[in-house]
Amino acid sequence: MALMYFNNIDFYRNLLSSAYKDDEKEDAALAVQIENETLDTMICARIRPLSEEEKEEHHIPGILSNSSSKAVLYEPRQKFNGKPDSVKHGFSLHRVFDTDMQTESVYQEAAQKLVPWAWTGGVSTLFAYGQTGSGKTFTVTGITNLLIKDIMAIAEAEHRAIYVCCFEIFGKKAYDLLDDRRMFNIMEDSFGKMQLIGVQEKHPASEEEFLSIIQTSASLRTSAQTTKNDQSSRSHAVYRIRIVNKKNSEAQDGELFLVDLAGSEGSQDSSKHSAERLVETKDINTSLSILKDCIRNRTIWGLQQLDSSETAKKSIHIPWRSSKLTQVLKHVFGTQEDRVCKTVVIACVAPSIVDSGHSKNTLRYAEMLKVPVPKMKRPKDALVPSNWTNEKMKLWIRENSGTPAIDADILAGKLSGMQLCKMPQKDFISRCLQTTGVEKDQATAFYQKLWRVRIDSRQQSTTFTAGDKSETMQRPSRPKTARPLNTTPFQQRIKPGMCISMGKRSYGALFVVVMSPFGPEDFDGVGDERRFICAVFGPSMMTDAYELHIERQETFIVKDMEGEAFMEYDSATRYYYLDL
Ligand SMILES: Nc1ncnc2c1ncn2[C@@H]1O[C@H](COP(=O)(O)OP(=O)(O)OP(=O)(O)O)[C@@H](O)[C@H]1O
Ligand SMILES: [Mg+2]
């Protein structure tokens, strides 16, 4: 493509100069801005200006933005007869920031709205992606600095404590940029939230201190020279700003993630790399491709929820566990998240016609993300106990804890529904026992009841909205059809995946799932002596809920098996429930 351009510079100059005249700018920025205020996921593009080096090398811009939300890209091509040609591609996004737009405008129109969302306990995420040298670090750094200014100007007056951690993901490892690049682990806790284990959090007291923290961490980031950028970021940098409401201890902490991704490189860009750099480029491209898969599949999943027919729904796998980067950003793609995440994606593109191929891919992907993603609105779902206020939780305790009623003030105190639901069983029961006349059995049963309500509510009622906020719909609850009665004895139907009850043991009932027949003689036949390798379900902290231990496999003989069991997996708690 570059060769085609450089061999036919005059042809492309003429073509593009007439294109500039044709594509008159529409000034609809204000209308677009107002419309974008309400979006949960906003997809923008930013076209950086031509660099001095590119100008010296006679590059010309191959992308024109003729309106606030549209861009046209010219891609050099060759005709069959060898003559130069071009293909015109049009893109429509929520917002396109042209080369003359300053970072202040990008911040005001796209990123600023993330602040009030996180300020009130929400999760906000901004990430920039695109080819190496397209302006991601420039954009994210600029936005971070403006955002810090805004946050620190009001933090004190609005009783907020601000905490920040900065880390980079390099290959499959994560390094703490505030702790001398110490390696740390990212793990999922029992509530499905990703935890950064042992990462340093700083508590900046002023704007200056905050900016210097960001500068220090940026200087520790891994960078190297690429064909397109002398100071190319070779890692994904993540800044997490946590906003704690000091006045209301029950309020959830707000979180703001700012992500500057490493740039993707094409094969011709990396052709001169050393073996080590090639591995690094491969790691970057792999993690970016997993990120794209996650966003795409989350989008497809969201669209499926709008379709009321259960049959149209296929199981969608969102591979967020496949890379460290997507683990950190799980809140953006998770389908079981408690909180809605506001996300701003900035697709950064280099303007040169030489980079048209790369820019086309970046913009195509951005356009695909623009489809309205329906978001779960669990926080407003009155059925879910973790969304209850302290008053509502206390009322429910008084009415549902049996006789004598458990003292709601002792049990719930000032805790919100979310906090009580997160309380460890031991603490929960010991608080219940402080009510005169309440025995351990009653306390345990009540603890289990709260869990049951939590799980049922998650399964029964989920509200979604699609793009337009007014469009809400109720997910149709799957009718509980009676399981068809199978008259063939279960011993003759045993096959991999079937759950089996092995009867009572000293510690309770034993359930297993069939993995495979033990030997060739066990494949066919109906005999009671056949053996099967099975994985064992272990008990969990709740009655009738089990954890599957795939790694614990034992061989069981058919005559010892009691009957078929029906286990239902609940992704909210990640337990299997005995379906009676
Ligand atoms: N909007 C802009 N205005 C002026 N200069 C810009 C703009 N965007 C980027 N630049 C300049 O372009 C160069 C490359 O930008 P930057 O380092 O942000 O790219 P990048 O996308 O982060 O690349 P990589 O993926 O290699 O890290 C820098 O010198 C930067 O100052
Ligand atoms: Mg960069």
Side-chain angles (χ1 to χ4, degrees):
M1 191 178 300
L3 201 62
M4 194 66 211
Y5 165 70
F6 287 119
N7 287 341
N8 302 281
I9 287 191
D10 288 340
F11 170 85
Y12 288 107
R13 272 186 194 280
N14 288 337
L15 178 87
L16 267 296
S17 63
S18 55
Y20 281 126
K21 279 183 218 128
D22 294 347
D23 287 317
E24 226 170 80
K25 266 196 189 288
E26 297 165 22
D27 196 8
L30 190 63
V32 173
Q33 188 181 345
I34 291 166
E35 190 192 310
N36 289 340
E37 286 297 308
T38 57
L39 292 169
D40 279 346
T41 304
M42 183 177 176
I43 314 293
C44 316
R46 184 179 195 191
I47 310 165
R48 74 156 163 81
L50 279 173
S51 66
E52 289 309 316
E53 206 179 346
E54 285 167 332
K55 283 182 198 162
E56 276 167 27
E57 289 174 7
H58 307 291
H59 291 214
I60 54 166
I63 308 176
L64 314 175
S65 171
N66 57 351
S67 93
S68 316
S69 56
K70 291 191 174 69
V72 179
L73 179 142
Y74 290 82
E75 189 180 14
R77 286 282 172 88
Q78 189 173 26
K79 284 186 185 166
F80 284 119
N81 59 9
K83 294 221 163 116
D85 197 5
S86 82
V87 183
K88 187 175 167 184
H89 304 273
F91 301 94
S92 168
L93 304 172
H94 292 128
R95 185 75 176 93
V96 175
F97 297 101
D98 205 355
T99 47
D100 55 349
M101 300 291 274
Q102 298 300 306
T103 305
E104 281 77 7
S105 308
V106 182
Y107 175 65
Q108 277 159 17
E109 289 189 43
Q112 199 168 31
K113 66 174 182 175
L114 299 178
V115 178
W117 187 253
W119 209 250
T120 48
V123 189
S124 300
T125 307
L126 173 134
F127 59 86
Y129 79 96
Q131 175 194 7
T132 172
S134 56
K136 299 179 293 296
T137 303
F138 184 91
T139 302
V140 175
T141 310
I143 287 177
T144 306
N145 292 348
L146 292 165
L147 196 138
I148 287 173
K149 226 179 225 174
D150 269 5
I151 290 182
M152 296 312 281
I154 51 169
E156 192 60 37
E158 299 205 1
H159 309 284
R160 297 296 199 278
I162 309 294
Y163 296 86
V164 59
C165 61
C166 309
F167 55 94
E168 70 170 354
I169 296 169
F170 184 67
K172 296 182 179 75
K173 298 189 174 108
Y175 299 91
D176 189 346
L177 295 175
L178 296 184
D179 195 5
D180 213 13
R181 300 195 75 249
R182 196 176 55 79
M183 209 163 87
F184 69 96
N185 242 330
I186 298 164
M187 288 169 119
E188 192 181 6
D189 69 15
S190 55
F191 291 95
K193 190 170 178 336
M194 297 314 295
Q195 299 291 352
L196 312 172
I197 312 295
V199 83
Q200 280 248 348
E201 257 194 338
K202 299 255 182 210
H203 178 32
S206 64
E207 182 191 321
E208 293 69 35
E209 192 184 339
F210 203 154
L211 290 172
S212 108
I213 291 171
I214 297 291
Q215 267 164 21
T216 313
S217 67
S219 65
L220 285 176
R221 215 180 145 188
T222 311
S223 66
Q225 191 174 16
T226 60
T227 27
K228 307 274 178 192
N229 189 1
D230 295 345
Q231 270 290 309
S232 174
S233 333
R234 297 288 80 203
S235 67
H236 308 301
V238 184
Y239 305 128
R240 187 190 69 182
I241 301 171
R242 195 162 61 84
I243 301 162
V244 179
N245 188 338
K246 292 191 281 184
K247 249 197 158 171
N248 180 0
S249 58
E250 287 175 23
Q252 282 192 333
D253 295 349
E255 286 178 307
L256 236 161
F257 289 81
L258 299 157
V259 187
D260 174 17
L261 295 171
S264 49
E265 281 185 280
S267 50
Q268 73 271 39
D269 299 335
S270 55
S271 54
K272 294 196 184 91
H273 285 352
S274 64
E276 199 185 330
R277 286 289 306 283
L278 278 175
V279 172
E280 172 199 288
T281 305
K282 188 170 146 260
D283 274 349
I284 292 172
N285 288 349
T286 306
S287 63
L288 291 172
S289 126
I290 295 168
L291 174 70
K292 286 181 178 179
D293 283 348
C294 287
I295 302 177
R296 189 190 52 217
N297 290 5
R298 175 62 175 77
T299 307
I300 297 169
W301 178 87
L303 289 174
Q304 277 199 4
Q305 306 310 306
L306 290 174
D307 190 337
S308 55
S309 67
E310 284 288 324
T311 45
K313 290 180 188 169
K314 294 191 192 110
S315 100
I316 303 282
H317 173 58
I318 301 170
W320 62 269
R321 283 177 211 273
S322 307
S323 79
K324 279 271 175 292
L325 174 68
T326 46
Q327 282 175 14
V328 171
L329 295 177
K330 185 201 159 203
H331 56 273
V332 178
F333 335 107
T335 54
Q336 299 292 333
E337 298 299 301
D338 273 339
R339 290 191 283 176
V340 178
C341 173
K342 269 206 189 291
T343 309
V344 172
V345 179
I346 303 185
C348 293
V349 280
S352 171
I353 193 163
V354 171
D355 289 314
S356 299
H358 242 308
S359 305
K360 179 183 71 182
N361 291 342
T362 303
L363 292 170
R364 265 200 188 144
Y365 189 73
E367 201 170 44
M368 193 192 83
L369 298 182
K370 213 194 99 190
V371 295
V373 183
K375 286 273 192 175
M376 298 167 93
K377 293 287 175 192
R378 284 229 172 84
K380 288 183 185 157
D381 193 334
L383 287 172
V384 180
S386 50
N387 295 331
W388 291 350
T389 59
N390 174 260
E391 292 73 37
K392 181 153 186 201
M393 182 50 94
K394 281 184 182 167
L395 187 68
W396 185 82
I397 293 170
R398 286 183 196 111
E399 289 173 355
N400 291 278
S401 56
T403 321
I406 290 168
D407 189 323
D409 290 323
I410 298 176
L411 175 56
K414 289 184 175 170
L415 302 180
S416 64
M418 172 62 84
Q419 286 167 320
L420 194 69
C421 288
K422 281 187 176 180
M423 188 184 282
Q425 182 177 16
K426 218 169 110 217
D427 297 347
F428 187 101
I429 290 174
S430 94
R431 281 186 183 222
C432 292
L433 294 178
Q434 287 175 36
T435 305
T436 322
V438 171
E439 298 288 329
K440 195 164 179 206
D441 281 353
Q442 183 186 347
T444 311
F446 184 54
Y447 179 79
Q448 287 166 358
K449 186 172 186 171
L450 176 60
W451 265 91
R452 204 68 237 174
V453 170
R454 243 190 118 181
I455 291 151
D456 288 349
S457 62
R458 280 182 173 241
Q459 286 169 350
Q460 279 166 21
S461 170
T462 311
T463 311
F464 301 92
T465 72
D468 173 8
K469 282 213 174 284
S470 59
E471 193 187 334
T472 62
M473 60 165 64
Q474 209 65 26
R475 184 167 69 176
S477 59
R478 202 173 337 147
K480 279 241 173 215
T481 45
R483 202 173 284 115
L485 205 60
N486 200 327
T487 47
T488 315
F490 86 91
Q491 291 92 337
Q492 291 169 28
R493 290 187 280 112
I494 296 174
K495 59 178 182 189
M498 188 173 183
C499 295
I500 305 277
S501 161
M502 299 298 304
K504 282 242 178 293
R505 298 289 198 269
S506 56
Y507 49 83
L510 173 65
F511 297 95
V512 298
V513 62
V514 177
M515 306 297 288
S516 71
F518 182 75
E521 65 283 8
D522 302 311
F523 270 85
D524 304 312
V526 290
D528 272 5
E529 297 297 328
R530 282 174 305 145
R531 288 170 302 166
F532 287 89
I533 299 170
C534 303
V536 174
F537 283 101
S540 76
M541 59 192 213
M542 291 160 59
T543 320
D544 293 342
Y546 298 85
E547 271 181 273
L548 179 59
H549 299 285
I550 281 288
E551 76 290 355
R552 273 181 54 201
Q553 297 187 0
E554 291 177 39
T555 306
F556 292 96
I557 196 156
V558 171
K559 68 179 176 201
D560 292 341
M561 296 178 178
E562 192 182 67
E564 185 174 5
F566 297 95
M567 290 281 190
E568 191 183 356
Y569 182 66
D570 176 62
S571 54
T573 55
R574 292 192 300 286
Y575 287 137
Y576 287 81
Y577 288 84
L578 190 58
D579 194 354
L580 297 169

